């Protein structure tokens, strides 16, 4: 034991020394041979907002206080007309010594409405459009929900409402009427009576007539007087980018710069998807009209749709028309410019994406084919070199009975667009930038989707007919969207694309496939029913119990206008289409329409309805939809042994329960 002890004592290092030496050696070896070179850490740069980024102000009260405004004109708008009227009213306030602002209902916190009394001499005006079956527009949905659910006290709030609608629809101006009534129920004070605008007649005249009484009422209520200032008030200033074409230049994008080159979901109205045209074929044999079947590729778009939804398409104006407009204005269409809002506090910095070129603005952003409204004529008058043309324009823009009649005859009924007006009034030559400020935005066009996603998950189908007619001036006018869509062909290099997005609809097949359905859709009104029938056929293939599927279709002549004849016959033979009734209106001496066939089959229609069938109508609202509803009411009264009033109530209840649905247009 002692010898062993002596031996340990003679070692030069102890155990701990050996451990430490090994550890240090390992670290040195790792450092020299195995360590990865240190990665260079990039210098951190603080995030900077882009120059054009503006944080949105959601408090309209704060904004009014900050900018000294006392009038706010809210708008609920689907196609842009409500927004246009709101902007005109806000602009008019300057002529009465007031200061107004137009406001999008979805951009501001409307629960602040009661705080409007904090503003000296305040007034809230609402331009409210009705969409679909008496529904609010997309941007007014939250406001509508708030009004329904909240019982806020609006005492002291002064208001007025102008409603935009169409008498051919069942729920004429429902939103405007609701807002007007509800604000009064919440103790707000009405300054002037509800205005009802009818787009089926003359919406512009209705608006002008309402303004004739509105402004005097405002003057009396607030103790203000017209300033007498009737000169043109510009909202935007023309700016030429310092770097010209080197700056970012919009080429048709709806919002995000280069969004068409670098597509990113989610796709919506401000970020449309560029769908490649897969199919574009004519579906009728006649030469007088052009029906088309178009298929759009939505692969990798993450877009989802159901049968009955709508596809929105952003069209492009005619290049021929744009070139002619450029010549009339003596403008270089390829000049890069920007229109900047003179009101630096406005959330709307430009009337459309800027900077851009005049060519792009007229092709993609501005509506150059719709007859201009009276405010545009008023502004154009200042550029007339001939006194009689200036007087003519000012008279049409006035509120006099003679002026209104002239505007109706010369502009509306003659369907004169801005190019035609400049062609016929040869001394009127406005600056291109002012015209860009005056013309309304080109809106997307909506089409009922003609396919089912169960059968076609990667494509959306459109069934349409080209709009083309000769106006009272002898000019041939072409529908913007349908003419442009006709030109978008398949198998092109580079591929033809269509900017589009999907809008959800309440036009839906029954939840239970066992429910029977009756579909009424003449002409292009067949579109959603193609999707319905495809889906019913798919349900049959899945082994589901499917109720009766009955279609009432109408067209002019069997030989030339029976679109989708082969497809419908195939569905009938397969059993997916139980009954097919077609009204050929011009194949005999007397006209035969779908409502006549419904009455001929009244017992079958009544039995189906009595057994829980769902009824769908798609197409023209002005005549067909009304006539079909009248026929259904007549069938219910006769076959159900009811008085007419009870039959009307029965049909109304079908609508309320979602068993009578309409997808109509005027």
């Amino acid at each position: 034991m002692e010898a062993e002890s002596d031996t340990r004592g003679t070692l030069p290092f102890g155990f701990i020394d050996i451990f430490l030496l090994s550890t240090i050696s390992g670290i040195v070896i790792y450092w020299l041979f195995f360590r990865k070179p240190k990665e260079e850490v990039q210098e951190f740069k603080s995030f900077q907002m882009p120059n054009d980024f503006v944080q949105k102000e959601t408090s309209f009260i704060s904004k009014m206080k900050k900018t000294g405004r006392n009038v706010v004109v809210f708008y609920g708008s689907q196609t842009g007309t409500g927004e246009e009227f709101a902007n005109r009213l806000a602009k008019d306030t300057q002529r009465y010594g007031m200061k107004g602002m137009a406001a999008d209902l979805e951009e501001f916190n409307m629960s602040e409405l009661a705080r409007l009394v904090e503003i000296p001499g305040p007034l809230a005006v609402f331009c409210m459009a009705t969409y679909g079956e008496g529904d609010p527009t997309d941007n007014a949905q939250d406001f509508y929900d708030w009004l329904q659910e909240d019982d806020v006290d609006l005492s002291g709030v002064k208001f007025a409402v102008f409603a935009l609608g169409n008498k051919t629809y069942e729920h004429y101006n429902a939103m405007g009427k609701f807002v007007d009534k509800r604000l009064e129920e919440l103790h707000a004070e009405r300054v002037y009576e509800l205005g009802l605008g009818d787009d089926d007649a003359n919406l512009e005249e209705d608006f002008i007539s309402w303004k004739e009484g509105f402004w005097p009422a405002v003057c009396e209520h607030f103790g203000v007087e017209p300033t007498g200032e009737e000169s043109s008030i510009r909202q935007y200033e023309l700016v030429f980018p310092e770097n010209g074409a080197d700056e970012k230049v919009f080429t048709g994008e709806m919002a995000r710069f280069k969004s068409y080159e670098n597509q990113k979901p989610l796709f919506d109205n401000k970020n449309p998807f560029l769908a490649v045209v897969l199919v574009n074929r004519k579906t009728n044999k006649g030469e007088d009209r052009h029906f088309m079947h178009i298929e759009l590729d939505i692969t990798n778009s993450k877009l989802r749709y159901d049968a009955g939804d709508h596809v929105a398409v952003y069209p492009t104006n005619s290049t021929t028309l744009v070139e002619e407009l450029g010549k009339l204005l003596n403008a270089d269409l390829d000049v890069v410019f920007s229109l900047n809002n003179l009101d630096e506090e406005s959330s709307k910095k430009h009337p459309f994406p800027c900077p851009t070129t005049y060519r792009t603005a007229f092709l993609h952003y501005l509506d150059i084919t719709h007859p201009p409204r009276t405010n545009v004529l008023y502004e154009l008058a200042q550029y007339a070199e001939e006194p009689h043309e200036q007087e003519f324009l000012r008279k049409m823009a006035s509120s006099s009975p003679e002026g209104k009649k002239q505007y109706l005859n010369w502009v509306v009924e003659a369907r004169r667009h801005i190019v035609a007006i400049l062609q016929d009034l040869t001394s009127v030559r406005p600056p291109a930038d002012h015209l860009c400020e005056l013309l309304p935005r080109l809106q997307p066009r909506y089409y009922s989707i003609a396919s089912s996603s169960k059968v076609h998950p990667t494509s959306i189908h459109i069934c349409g007919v080209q709009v083309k007619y000769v106006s009272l001036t002898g000019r041939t006018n072409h529908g913007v969207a349908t003419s442009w869509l006709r030109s978008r062909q398949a198998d092109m290099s580079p591929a033809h694309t269509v900017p589009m997005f999907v809008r959800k609809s309440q036009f839906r097949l029954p939840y239970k496939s066992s429910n029977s359905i009756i579909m009424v859709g003449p002409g292009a009104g067949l579109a959603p029913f193609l999707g319905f029938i495809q889906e019913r056929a798919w349900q049959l293939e899945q082994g589901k119990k499917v109720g009766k599927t009955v279609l009432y279709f109408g067209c002019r002549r069997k030989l030339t206008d029976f679109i989708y004849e082969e497809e419908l016959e195939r569905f009938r033979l397969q059993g997916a289409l139980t009954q097919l009734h077609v009204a050929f209106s011009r194949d005999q001496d007397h006209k035969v329409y779908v409502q006549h066939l419904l009455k001929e089959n009244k017992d079958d229609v009544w039995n189906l309805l009595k057994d829980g069938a769902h009824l769908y109508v798609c197409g023209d609202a002005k005549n067909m939809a009304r006539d079909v509803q009248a026929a259904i009411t007549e069938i219910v009264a006769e076959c159900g042994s009811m008085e007419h009033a009870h039959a009307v109530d029965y049909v109304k209840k079908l609508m309320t329960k979602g068993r009578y649905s309409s997808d109509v247009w005027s």
Side-chain angles (χ1 to χ4, degrees):
M1 294 290 293
E2 289 179 357
E4 186 174 334
S5 177
D6 289 342
T7 306
R8 287 200 307 267
T10 60
L11 288 173
F13 303 109
F15 175 77
I16 294 176
D17 298 311
I18 295 173
F19 173 77
L20 289 174
L21 184 62
S22 301
T23 303
I24 293 170
S25 300
I27 292 172
V28 170
I29 292 170
Y30 168 79
W31 182 268
L32 293 174
F33 300 104
F34 297 101
R35 179 182 65 90
K36 291 182 180 179
K38 181 180 178 181
E39 293 184 4
E40 182 180 351
V41 179
Q42 293 184 352
E43 181 183 356
F44 176 76
K45 294 181 180 179
S46 61
F47 175 74
Q48 292 183 338
M49 291 291 188
N51 293 331
D52 58 353
F53 179 84
V54 179
Q55 187 171 356
K56 287 191 176 180
E57 171 69 75
T58 61
S59 171
F60 67 89
I61 297 296
S62 297
K63 188 166 187 177
M64 291 178 75
K65 288 180 177 179
K66 188 190 303 181
T67 58
R69 287 172 166 79
N70 58 348
V71 179
V72 56
V73 189
F74 295 106
Y75 59 86
S77 181
Q78 196 72 30
T79 63
T81 308
E83 179 181 0
E84 179 190 339
F85 283 4
N87 282 319
R88 288 166 64 178
L89 285 170
K91 195 174 180 180
D92 284 346
T93 59
Q94 300 176 62
R95 296 190 170 103
Y96 297 89
M98 307 174 85
K99 195 172 181 184
M101 60 177 267
D104 187 333
L105 281 167
E106 72 175 349
E107 291 187 359
F108 293 97
N109 180 8
M110 294 308 295
S111 64
E112 286 192 331
L113 193 56
R115 292 182 55 204
L116 194 63
V117 295
E118 299 174 12
I119 307 292
L123 173 64
V125 186
F126 295 85
C127 292
M128 304 301 300
T130 299
Y131 165 64
E133 297 302 299
D135 301 318
T137 57
D138 292 343
N139 75 314
Q141 183 65 56
D142 290 342
F143 175 59
Y144 174 72
D145 294 340
W146 175 74
L147 279 180
Q148 281 191 311
E149 298 164 4
D150 206 312
D151 288 324
V152 62
D153 185 2
L154 297 180
S155 296
V157 173
K158 315 294 174 61
F159 79 94
V161 179
F162 183 79
L164 299 86
N166 190 308
K167 270 187 177 175
T168 61
Y169 288 80
E170 176 73 18
H171 305 279
Y172 174 57
N173 273 323
M175 262 307 290
K177 293 174 181 176
F178 166 76
V179 171
D180 183 72
K181 180 182 177 183
R182 184 59 178 150
L183 291 176
E184 184 181 45
E185 290 173 350
L186 296 174
H187 312 298
E189 181 183 351
R190 184 184 294 104
V191 171
Y192 188 61
E193 66 187 27
L194 169 68
L196 297 176
D198 180 15
D199 198 34
D200 183 52
N202 189 341
L203 183 61
E204 177 70 11
E205 183 177 333
D206 294 336
F207 181 58
I208 295 297
S209 298
W210 180 78
K211 286 205 304 176
E212 285 176 27
F214 168 72
W215 283 118
V218 169
C219 290
E220 181 179 352
H221 191 94
F222 292 96
V224 298
E225 294 181 357
T227 61
E229 180 62 53
E230 293 294 329
S231 62
S232 174
I233 302 172
R234 291 292 297 267
Q235 185 177 352
Y236 299 93
E237 66 172 340
L238 175 64
V239 176
F240 295 105
E242 292 181 6
N243 298 328
D246 294 336
E247 281 226 2
K248 70 174 186 180
V249 179
F250 285 88
T251 58
E253 306 95 321
M254 290 300 114
R256 181 171 60 86
F257 181 58
K258 290 195 174 180
S259 60
Y260 288 165
E261 294 180 25
N262 184 17
Q263 293 260 276
K264 296 178 182 178
L266 297 168
F267 296 108
D268 54 20
N269 62 327
K270 293 181 180 178
N271 183 36
F273 176 68
L274 283 184
V276 172
V277 177
L278 298 174
V279 175
N280 188 345
R281 61 181 173 85
K282 186 179 180 183
T283 56
N284 65 315
K285 299 182 179 69
E287 296 301 322
D288 54 336
R289 293 195 299 170
H290 185 95
F291 280 86
M292 49 198 160
H293 172 82
I294 297 172
E295 298 183 12
L296 304 177
D297 187 0
I298 59 170
T299 304
N300 298 325
S301 68
K302 297 185 179 179
L303 286 169
R304 300 290 180 266
Y305 74 95
D306 293 301
D309 283 342
H310 300 138
V311 56
V313 170
Y314 278 106
T316 298
N317 283 311
S318 161
T319 54
T320 302
L321 209 58
V322 169
E323 288 290 346
E324 176 64 15
L325 183 55
K327 290 177 183 176
L328 290 167
L329 298 175
N330 193 27
D332 181 351
L333 293 176
D334 297 313
V335 166
V336 177
F337 75 104
S338 182
L339 288 179
N340 296 348
N341 203 319
L342 291 167
D343 177 8
E344 294 181 357
E345 297 296 328
S346 175
S347 59
K348 187 175 183 179
K349 299 303 179 185
H350 315 283
F352 43 78
C354 289
T356 188
T357 64
Y358 287 119
R359 186 183 306 279
T360 298
F362 290 134
L363 279 173
H364 300 286
Y365 297 140
L366 297 169
D367 189 341
I368 64 173
T369 61
H370 193 277
R373 302 196 186 277
T374 56
N375 66 304
V376 177
L377 303 185
Y378 177 84
E379 298 285 350
L380 289 178
Q382 64 185 295
Y383 300 110
E385 294 182 0
E386 293 291 339
H388 70 278
E389 291 187 350
Q390 185 178 81
E391 182 183 354
F392 180 61
L393 285 170
R394 285 184 175 163
K395 182 179 288 185
M396 286 193 293
S398 73
S399 57
S400 69
E402 184 182 355
K404 289 179 180 178
K405 186 176 180 181
Q406 274 189 333
Y407 172 75
L408 178 64
N409 294 339
W410 198 80
V411 178
V412 179
E413 292 179 348
R415 304 303 296 173
R416 275 186 172 88
H417 46 59
I418 187 61
V419 174
I421 288 174
L422 296 180
Q423 286 173 335
D424 292 344
L425 301 179
T426 56
S427 80
V428 180
R429 293 296 179 262
D433 64 286
H434 197 181
L435 190 61
C436 286
E437 178 178 328
L438 293 172
L439 293 176
R441 284 292 297 268
L442 183 61
Q443 297 295 322
R445 271 43 173 188
Y446 295 91
Y447 298 92
S448 300
I449 295 177
S451 55
S452 165
S453 59
K454 298 289 191 298
V455 183
H456 300 283
T458 60
S459 65
I460 284 178
H461 300 181
I462 296 175
C463 164
V465 57
Q466 183 186 18
V467 176
K468 182 180 178 182
Y469 61 93
V470 177
S471 72
L472 295 178
T473 67
R475 295 178 172 92
T476 299
N477 287 350
H478 297 84
V480 176
T482 54
S483 298
W484 180 73
L485 281 173
R486 179 178 177 177
S487 71
R488 310 306 285 168
Q489 295 298 316
D491 301 322
M492 302 297 289
S493 182
H496 281 184
T497 57
V498 172
M500 50 77 69
F501 62 94
V502 172
R503 184 176 69 180
K504 290 296 178 182
S505 165
Q506 299 300 316
F507 203 69
R508 287 281 183 272
L509 279 169
Y511 178 74
K512 294 182 179 179
S513 62
S514 56
N515 286 116
S516 295
I517 61 173
I518 304 170
M519 304 168 291
V520 184
L526 175 63
F529 303 137
L530 292 169
F532 281 12
I533 298 168
Q534 287 175 15
E535 191 145 326
R536 302 280 270 195
W538 177 83
Q539 289 170 339
L540 282 172
E541 291 175 0
Q542 302 302 306
K544 294 183 179 181
K545 182 181 179 182
V546 178
K548 290 184 178 179
T549 303
V550 180
L551 173 64
Y552 285 84
F553 173 64
C555 60
R556 293 178 180 177
R557 296 179 178 85
K558 178 178 173 58
L559 289 178
T560 57
D561 304 302
F562 193 173
I563 59 175
Y564 298 99
E565 180 180 6
E566 294 179 3
E567 291 91 330
L568 292 175
E569 182 61 22
R570 185 169 66 251
F571 282 127
R572 192 185 65 80
L573 293 174
Q574 291 173 354
L577 186 56
T578 314
Q579 297 176 27
L580 174 60
H581 305 279
V582 185
F584 301 107
S585 61
R586 301 186 184 182
D587 272 354
Q588 57 284 313
D589 294 335
H590 60 286
K591 296 289 180 66
V592 176
Y593 297 117
V594 285
Q595 61 266 27
H596 299 133
L597 297 189
L598 285 167
K599 285 192 244 184
E600 284 181 15
N601 296 282
K602 59 187 176 183
D603 291 329
D604 184 56
V605 171
W606 169 245
N607 287 329
L608 286 169
L609 290 176
K610 192 172 57 173
D611 291 340
H614 289 232
L615 177 66
Y616 300 90
V617 180
C618 183
D620 167 51
K622 189 171 185 178
N623 297 309
M624 183 277 297
R626 283 184 172 183
D627 292 340
V628 167
Q629 185 172 334
I632 294 297
T633 304
E634 186 180 321
I635 290 169
V636 169
E638 182 180 345
C639 298
S641 302
M642 301 180 196
E643 295 290 334
H644 179 74
H646 290 157
V648 170
D649 186 54
Y650 181 93
V651 172
K652 295 283 186 187
K653 285 181 179 177
L654 287 178
M655 294 178 177
T656 304
K657 293 177 180 177
R659 287 183 50 209
Y660 189 139
S661 302
S662 299
D663 182 5
V664 294
W665 56 84
S666 59

